[in-house]
Each structure stands twice: as C-alpha cells, then as structure tokens.
C-alpha cells in the first residue's frame, strides 16, 4: 500500500484503484500523462507500480488520508516501528514459570499483559538505540523528539497490541529505562502476590480452617461471621490439640483486630480445599474429589493383566433381592474370561469366578496370566494363593473404583449390552438415555415402583447368553477380530502354563478321601490312579488323603 522508493514516499497504483480513490486505471494513466501525477516506479516482475504521494493534489491526498486514517508519512513510520515488535521466547518462558510469593503462578491475563509489554518495550529500547547510532554516524548525537514521537506511536498501538504501558512521554521513558536495567522482573506488578500486603498468616489460616470443618458443615459466609464474632469476644475457641484458649489478642496487627473479607476466607479455604474436604466428608468423597488418578497403559497382549470386580445386577429377583456377580476381565482383549453369580456377595462368589477363568484358560490351551488386579474386599484371605499362581498381584485401594480397569469394562457391558434387555442406568445420569424409565402403580401401601422380576435361574441364563454375545462381538480397537479371537490369538508369550494340581489346590474344591487297594482314590464318584507306585511311600498308614479338584465346564 505505502512504500518508500529511492527515499520518496509512494502509493501503490493497485491500492488506489481498489480503494476507489480513483475509479479506473485509465484515469490514473491520464493524470500521469498530463503531469498531474508523477510515476515513481513501473510495475512488473513482482514489483508494484507506485505514484509519488507528494505529486498528488490536495483533494487526492485527503482521500488517501481518509482511507488509511492518518498521513501516509505517519502510517509508514508506525509500520517501520512495528517491524521492531517481534516474539520474545525468553519473556514467554519467564512469565510462564514465574511464581509469586504466595506460591501461585501468574494468571493467564497477567502473563499475556506482561509478555505484550515486554515485546513492545524491546522494540522501544532497540528503536532508541538505532536512532542514537544513526544520528551519531551523521555527527548529530542528540535524541531530541525521539521520545515524543515514540510515545505517540506506542499509544496508537495500544488498541492493536493491548499493552498497558504508560501513555505520557516521561513515564514511558522511565518505564523503558527501568526495563532496560531490570528486564522482565520490572514488569511484575507489586500489587499481586506481595507478602507485605497480605493479612494472612499461618495462625489465621488454621483458625479459618478449624471453623469450616465443624460437624455442622457451615458455609463460607458462616465461617466469616463466626470469625467476626470471635474477634468481638462473643465466642470462645480452644486449640483441639493443646486445649488452650485462643484469644482475639492473638489476631491483632498494630493493636487493631485482624479483620478479613469473605473473599479472603474463600481464598484460604480454596487453598486448603483438599484438607477441608477430607475432614468434612467421608473417605469416598475425598477419594473421588481429590486423590490423584492412576495413569495406566493398556497391555499389548492378552493374558498380560486380568482385572476383577463385583457388582449388583440391576434386575430384581422374585423375592425382591438382586443377583451378585463377579466378572474377570482380560484388559487387552476386553474378554470376560470368567464369571460367577450368587444371591450373596461372599468369598465363594470370588472363588467361583476364578474357577470359571481357569476353565476358560484350559479350554483354549492358554497359560497363566501375568498379572491380576483385585481389591481387598472379599479377596484379602486369598493373598497367598494369588501370589502363588500369578507373577504379579496388584491390590487396588478399597472404594477407589476409578483405578480398576474392570470398572471401564463393566460400564461398557452395562450400557451396550445389558441396557438392551433391562432398565439399566442411573436416575441422576447426565445423559437422558442413561436414566432408566420407572413405571409406578398404586397398591394398598401407596405408590410403588413396578419392576419385572426373575428367578435366579432365569436371570443367570440371560446373563450367560449376554456374556457369550459380548465375547464374540468385534474388538473395539482391532478391526476384523472378535474379543475371543484377540484373547486366544494374541496371548502374552511369557504367560506359561501351571500344573493343574497347583491350580486345584489354590482355588479348587477339597475332598477328604482315602487310598483304595494301594492303587487309586475316589473323588466325585470317579476313580483316579496314583501317578506311580513310589507315591505309596509318601502316604501314611491310615491311607487318608485330601484331594483337591477343579471340574471342567461339563
């Protein structure tokens, strides 16, 4: 649009026509031929055709100035200065890592403000330096008029760059001098994060927190009122650890009561929010709200990790109860390896799910999984057996559902398969489709929810079919493979088989029997021969034996 050519200010011909300052190229060409305009440069080979600005008459100059908002000389000067405003990676890093006295980082707004001020001041300092060197080379070391012009330019650029530098010439010069001496640190406002400006101290924080974690679970405003009543001497407070009386005299500064605003109370409580929630609420609330998540990496092979979890199935039994289920999931293949159902949530339910898993492994000729993930609930009594069978055993924290992989699979099974047959979901679910529809009827006891009920056998048969459907459906991440195919075809090469006697003794059934005819034992109406005659030397005279066994699917 505007360009100097041989130290003469020129205006692009194309811009003049496109901006409708002159209607056509022919009009411009005619004015040049008649001497009304002076051609400064011919266009072509990537160059823009220029006409000399000073050769324009007053009317044409006025149109140009109205179009760009100022004199082209001023506009070009602004454009020349803007070339000095460049990115400063060091400034960006400095303000991103800057920590205030109270331990907080700068806000996003502050970081942007200080960074913008820094790059504009970089330009100011460098521009002044270049002007000084240029004038010195011409024998004129003075800098008169530089700061006046700079102040005007910087003020004009405030709307474009959104900097907050001083508007006055002297203030801008002082700011630039301070910046040149103290760099980025000089831009940090003393109004934020200054310890001297804070009324807070450790005793005040402790008192506010203790008022907040009382049994009545007060609101933040109630805590503020309680603190003010304490300062006025209307209530007495005692140190819970020492039993000593806490007096208002301990909360004075320069002889005056240490008053605080509601926002200060909120700031204190927000800083100690995790501690406050731990004292005001139960373990599960604190665990779900504040405890860090477990970052997990999914295994590449099946049999790398099994994750176990129990749950109550949503359909009701004829007696009004619910079926308890225990699922064993293979993380990599997403397969339900084993499962068990019962009307009671007990250790037998867990054992049956493990037995079901071993049947699946034996059926497909697979080895022992490398890792099993369980929680202490129901399982802690089997610590020895689990650590005997599995190379790695991971104990999840009780109640911390989000760390178990089984929870994710339970959710997928629940909403993609179970939901097709039963009113599955939560009444407070965010998604409307996941809120179960409830039908209500009137009876002699009033309004009651109407539910379809099942016998234990009916319900378990339905779930066995659902599990079979799920296992034979497509894997979520491996195209063209079912979950069962991934489980059997992508097994961990380190998953070695264990002898069935070890498995049976850990999680099988137990039968007291005896040796018959020095040859065999009878278990579950079947006869089993000893492996060799040498085994007789290890059997006592009474010939009483304990047999451990694990039936197959049949």
């Amino acid at each position: 649009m505007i360009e100097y050519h041989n130290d003469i200010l020129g205006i692009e011909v194309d811009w003049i026509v496109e901006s409708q300052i002159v209607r056509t190229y022919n009009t411009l060409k005619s004015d040049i031929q008649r001497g009304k305009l002076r051609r400064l440069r011919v266009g072509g080979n990537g160059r823009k055709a220029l006409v000399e600005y000073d050769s324009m008459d007053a009317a044409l100059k006025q149109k140009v100035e109205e179009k760009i908002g100022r004199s082209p000389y001023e506009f070009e000067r602004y454009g020349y200065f803007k070339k000095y405003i460049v990115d400063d990676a060091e400034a960006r890093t400095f303000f991103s890592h800057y920590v205030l006295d109270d331990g907080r980082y700068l806000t996003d707004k502050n970081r942007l403000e200080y960074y913008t001020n820094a790059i504009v001041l970089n330009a100011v300092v460098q521009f002044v330096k270049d002007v000084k060197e240029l004038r010195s080379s011409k024998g004129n070391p003075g800098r008169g008029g530089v700061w006046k012009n700079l102040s005007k330019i910087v003020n004009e650029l405030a709307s474009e760059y959104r900097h907050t530098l001083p508007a006055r010439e002297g203030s801008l010069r002082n700011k630039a001098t301070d910046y040149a001496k103290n760099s980025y640190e000089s831009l940090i406002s003393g109004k934020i994060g200054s310890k001297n400006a804070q009324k807070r101290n450790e005793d005040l924080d402790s008192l506010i927190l203790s008022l907040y974690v009382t049994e009545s679970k007060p609101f933040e405003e109630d805590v503020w009122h309680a603190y003010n009543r304490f300062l006025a001497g209307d209530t007495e407070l005692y140190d819970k650890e020492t039993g000593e009386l806490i007096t208002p005299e301990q909360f004075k500064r320069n002889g005056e009561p240490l008053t605080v605003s509601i926002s200060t109370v909120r700031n204190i409580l927000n800083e100690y929010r995790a501690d406050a929630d731990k004292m005001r609420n139960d373990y599960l609330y604190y665990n779900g709200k504040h405890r860090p998540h477990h970052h997990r990496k999914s295994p590449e092979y099946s049999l790398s990790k099994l994750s176990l979890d129990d749950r109550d199935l949503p359909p009701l039994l004829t007696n009004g109860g619910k079926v308890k289920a225990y699922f064993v999931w293979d993380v990599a293949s997403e397969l339900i390896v084993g499962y068990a159902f019962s009307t009671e949530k007990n250790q037998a339910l867990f054992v049956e799910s493990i037995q079901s898993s071993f049947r699946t492994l034996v059926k497909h000729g697979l080895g022992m999984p490398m890792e099993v993930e369980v929680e202490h609930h129901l399982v802690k009594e089997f610590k020895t057996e689990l650590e005997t069978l599995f190379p790695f055993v991971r104990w999840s924290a009780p109640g911390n559902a989000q760390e178990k992989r089984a929870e994710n699979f339970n959710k997928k099974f629940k909403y993609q398969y179970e939901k097709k047959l039963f009113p599955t979901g939560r009444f407070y679910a965010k998604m409307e489709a996941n809120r179960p529809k409830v039908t209500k009827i009137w009876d002699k006891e009033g309004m009651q929810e109407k539910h379809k009920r099942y016998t234990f056998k009916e319900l378990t048969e339905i779930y066995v079919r659902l599990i079979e459907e799920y296992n034979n459906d497509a894997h979520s991440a491996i195209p063209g493979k079912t979950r069962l195919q991934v489980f059997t075809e992508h097994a961990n090469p380190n998953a070695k088989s264990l002898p069935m006697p070890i498995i049976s003794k850990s999680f099988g059934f137990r039968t007291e029997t005896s040796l018959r005819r020095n040859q065999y034992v009878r278990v579950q109406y079947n006869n089993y021969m000893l492996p060799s005659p040498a085994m007789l030397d290890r059997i006592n005279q009474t010939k009483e034996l304990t047999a451990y066994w694990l039936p197959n699917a049949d």
Side-chain angles (χ1 to χ4, degrees):
M1 180 175 63
I2 301 172
E3 183 180 341
Y4 275 94
H5 180 69
N6 295 330
D7 294 330
I8 299 174
L9 183 66
I11 309 295
E12 291 179 2
V13 171
D14 288 345
W15 179 81
I16 293 174
V17 176
E18 291 170 1
S19 302
Q20 293 295 298
I21 294 173
V22 173
R23 290 184 179 276
T24 65
Y25 286 101
N26 288 333
T27 302
L28 273 177
K29 185 177 180 180
S30 176
D31 288 343
I32 291 172
Q33 290 175 346
R34 289 186 295 171
K36 289 186 176 183
L37 276 176
R38 177 172 172 251
R39 180 186 285 117
L40 195 58
R41 185 176 69 194
V42 178
N45 295 325
R47 299 186 305 271
K48 295 284 187 179
L50 300 174
V51 294
E52 183 181 351
Y53 171 71
D54 286 335
S55 67
M56 295 179 177
D57 58 29
L60 197 55
K61 284 182 178 179
Q62 184 178 355
K63 291 181 179 180
V64 172
E65 291 182 11
E66 288 175 354
K67 206 68 178 178
I68 63 177
R70 59 173 64 90
S71 164
Y73 284 104
E74 286 189 10
F75 188 88
E76 175 60 20
R77 183 175 60 196
Y78 283 36
Y80 180 75
F81 177 77
K82 286 170 65 175
K83 294 177 182 178
Y84 282 82
I85 303 177
V86 295
D87 179 51
D88 186 345
E90 290 185 8
R92 194 183 302 277
T93 301
F94 178 85
F95 295 122
S96 295
H97 290 81
Y98 192 86
V99 180
L100 300 171
D101 291 337
D102 57 8
R104 292 178 293 122
Y105 285 97
L106 294 172
T107 64
D108 293 343
K109 180 181 179 181
N110 289 145
R111 285 200 301 272
L112 179 60
E113 175 191 350
Y114 297 150
Y115 169 77
T116 305
N117 289 349
I119 60 174
V120 174
L121 284 175
N122 287 342
V124 169
V125 172
Q126 188 61 45
F127 182 83
V128 171
K129 181 180 178 181
D130 289 351
V131 169
K132 182 179 179 181
E133 291 177 353
L134 179 63
R135 290 183 176 180
S136 295
S137 66
K138 294 182 178 181
N140 180 21
R143 287 182 288 175
V146 174
W147 284 103
K148 181 178 180 179
N149 291 331
L150 263 180
S151 176
K152 184 177 181 182
I153 294 172
V154 170
N155 286 336
E156 286 285 340
L157 295 178
S159 59
E160 180 178 350
Y161 285 92
R162 299 184 182 279
H163 66 73
T164 57
L165 296 174
R168 295 177 55 191
E169 175 187 339
S171 299
L172 177 64
R173 184 170 185 172
N174 292 338
K175 189 72 174 178
T177 302
D178 185 24
Y179 177 75
K181 182 179 179 181
N182 299 308
S183 191
Y184 308 127
E185 187 77 35
S186 65
L187 299 178
I188 306 294
S189 172
K191 297 180 180 179
I192 61 172
S194 173
K195 288 180 178 177
N196 296 328
Q198 293 179 358
K199 292 183 178 181
R200 289 178 51 184
N201 55 52
E202 188 175 341
D203 290 339
L204 177 62
D205 289 3
S206 179
L207 180 60
I208 295 297
L209 183 61
S210 66
L211 292 172
Y212 184 65
V213 299
T214 56
E215 290 295 327
S216 61
K217 298 180 72 172
F219 296 106
E220 293 165 346
E221 187 173 349
D222 296 331
V223 173
W224 179 67
H225 286 302
Y227 176 72
N228 287 333
R229 289 195 299 270
F230 163 73
L231 286 184
D234 295 339
T235 57
E236 291 185 347
L237 299 176
Y238 294 87
D239 190 309
K240 291 183 178 180
E241 294 183 0
T242 65
E244 295 179 356
L245 178 68
I246 304 174
T247 65
E249 295 295 325
Q250 298 172 240
F251 296 87
K252 286 188 175 183
R253 174 172 292 174
N254 299 324
E256 295 295 326
L258 188 59
T259 58
V260 295
S261 63
I262 294 180
S263 61
T264 300
V265 171
R266 291 196 181 102
N267 290 337
I268 293 172
L269 295 177
N270 285 333
E271 185 171 328
Y272 297 97
R273 182 63 60 187
D275 295 323
D277 283 346
K278 193 172 187 178
M279 289 184 277
R280 276 169 57 111
N281 299 280
D282 59 17
Y283 169 80
L284 290 178
Y285 180 88
Y286 171 78
N287 191 62
K289 193 80 173 176
H290 298 287
R291 187 177 294 278
H293 290 257
H294 289 259
H295 297 276
R296 303 167 300 205
K297 181 181 179 181
S298 294
E300 297 179 12
Y301 298 104
S302 63
L303 302 185
S304 295
K305 183 174 187 174
L306 301 183
S307 184
L308 286 68
D309 194 29
D310 62 276
R311 57 183 295 242
D312 291 350
L313 302 182
L316 291 178
L317 294 171
T318 52
N319 62 1
K322 288 192 174 184
V323 172
K324 320 297 181 183
Y326 217 103
F327 288 160
V328 180
W329 303 85
D330 178 76
V331 176
S333 66
E334 306 173 350
L335 191 86
I336 300 177
V337 183
Y339 54 86
F341 306 103
S342 176
T343 55
E344 296 183 8
K345 190 178 294 185
N346 51 28
Q347 293 178 345
L349 180 66
F350 164 73
V351 170
E352 188 178 341
S353 70
I354 292 291
Q355 293 172 343
S356 172
S357 302
F358 285 137
R359 291 191 191 100
T360 302
L361 295 172
V362 171
K363 176 182 178 181
H364 295 285
L366 299 172
M368 179 62 59
M370 297 298 296
E371 180 180 359
V372 62
E373 179 181 63
V374 294
E375 62 180 20
H376 287 80
H377 177 57
L378 296 182
V379 183
K380 60 183 178 180
E381 301 299 329
F382 299 93
K383 184 175 186 296
T384 301
E385 288 82 357
L386 289 171
E387 292 177 351
T388 298
L389 294 175
F390 297 95
F392 303 98
V393 179
R394 184 177 185 278
W395 297 92
S396 302
N400 190 22
Q402 61 192 3
E403 73 169 290
K404 288 185 299 184
R405 299 305 297 267
E407 290 289 338
N408 302 92
F409 296 124
N410 278 337
K411 185 176 181 180
K412 180 182 292 186
F413 183 78
K414 177 178 180 179
Y415 288 112
Q416 295 183 10
Y417 293 85
E418 216 172 55
K419 190 175 186 294
K420 298 176 183 178
L421 302 178
F422 308 112
T424 300
R426 297 182 179 180
F427 297 105
Y428 48 86
K430 290 184 179 180
M431 187 179 295
E432 180 271 336
N434 290 336
R435 296 187 179 188
K437 181 181 178 180
V438 177
T439 303
K440 296 186 177 182
I441 59 173
W442 284 94
D443 59 17
K444 59 183 180 181
E445 296 181 359
M447 183 176 287
Q448 304 290 330
E449 292 183 4
K450 181 181 179 181
H451 298 280
K452 184 177 180 180
R453 299 173 186 268
Y454 304 83
T455 65
F456 180 82
K457 182 180 180 182
E458 289 173 338
L459 200 55
T460 53
E461 287 176 349
I462 291 173
Y463 270 88
V464 169
R465 290 195 298 270
L466 273 180
I467 291 170
E468 185 176 357
E469 177 189 350
Y470 170 85
N471 284 344
N472 287 282
D473 270 356
H475 190 277
S476 63
I478 302 179
K481 295 284 187 179
T482 66
R483 296 183 176 99
L484 183 58
Q485 287 176 321
V486 174
F487 179 70
T488 57
E489 298 173 10
H490 296 268
N492 192 318
N494 295 320
K496 307 300 182 182
S497 61
L498 272 180
M500 186 53 69
I502 296 179
I503 296 175
S504 298
K505 188 174 181 181
S506 296
F507 286 100
F509 295 98
R510 171 176 174 159
T511 297
E512 300 298 333
T513 184
S514 61
L515 182 64
R516 300 189 179 198
R517 296 183 180 277
N518 289 331
Q519 187 180 24
Y520 63 88
V521 294
R522 179 167 291 176
V523 181
Q524 287 297 100
Y525 313 107
N526 289 313
N527 295 329
Y528 298 90
M529 186 177 293
L530 293 180
S532 70
M535 191 69 68
L536 290 171
D537 296 334
R538 299 172 55 186
I539 300 174
N540 60 30
Q541 293 181 354
T542 63
K543 299 183 180 180
E544 293 176 352
L545 298 171
T546 302
Y548 298 92
W549 53 280
L550 184 63
N552 58 25
D554 300 323

